[in-house]
Amino acid sequence: QVQLVESGGGLVQPGGSLRLSCAASGRASSVNTMAWFRQAPGKEREFVAAVRRGDRKTLYADSVKGRFTISRDNVENTMYLQMSSLKSDDTAVYYCAAATANWILSAMSGKENYDYWGRGTQVTVSS
């Protein structure tokens, strides 16, 4: 089993920045692909960004490309999401997800492809 704990959420003004963290524990060494998803009130959970363990290949949703940066520290078993130029549309609960599979790019955005999920951290973008 793998446990995931997100942190770093909060209230930020439009145009501001925030950094989310996701700490993996348990059998963290079995995790290959990690990702961030988000869910706004009344909406489906959507893909934000993903990163592979070995080659650190990344994938981003079009809505965050150029504004968000995903990274991971394989030694510390921690993943990050640096968010900049935040908009009100970015308001959501952000979830960390992990998969034992080393997914190809086309599969990295599918929430059904992830085995473990964190409980989420709230990000609110508002003036």
Side-chain angles (χ1 to χ4, degrees):
Q1 289 291 325
V2 176
Q3 294 77 44
L4 303 172
V5 178
E6 304 96 334
S7 61
L11 174 64
V12 61
Q13 292 187 341
S17 299
L18 211 55
R19 188 196 199 203
L20 304 182
S21 300
C22 171
S25 61
R27 295 190 61 194
S29 59
S30 68
V31 169
N32 280 296
T33 310
M34 296 187 76
W36 290 98
F37 288 78
R38 67 186 181 185
Q39 188 166 17
K43 294 188 176 181
E44 294 284 323
R45 190 170 299 189
E46 65 174 7
F47 171 76
V48 175
V51 59
R52 286 199 300 232
R53 182 184 188 93
D55 60 6
R56 299 179 189 269
K57 188 71 176 178
T58 58
L59 180 70
Y60 294 92
D62 287 344
S63 59
V64 306
K65 206 171 291 184
R67 300 188 298 121
F68 291 10
T69 302
I70 189 171
S71 61
R72 65 189 289 176
D73 182 331
N74 291 332
V75 174
E76 297 294 332
N77 293 314
T78 303
M79 176 178 65
Y80 304 97
L81 186 68
Q82 178 67 48
M83 305 185 293
S84 303
S85 303
L86 283 161
K87 310 173 184 178
S88 57
D89 287 348
D90 295 318
T91 295
V93 176
Y94 283 69
Y95 296 92
C96 171
T100 55
N102 200 34
W103 289 117
I104 58 174
L105 272 182
S106 61
M108 288 168 74
S109 59
K111 53 183 179 288
E112 68 278 4
N113 294 329
Y114 290 87
D115 308 297
Y116 305 101
W117 292 84
R119 293 189 174 185
T121 185
Q122 176 70 47
V123 172
T124 302
V125 184
S126 175
S127 55

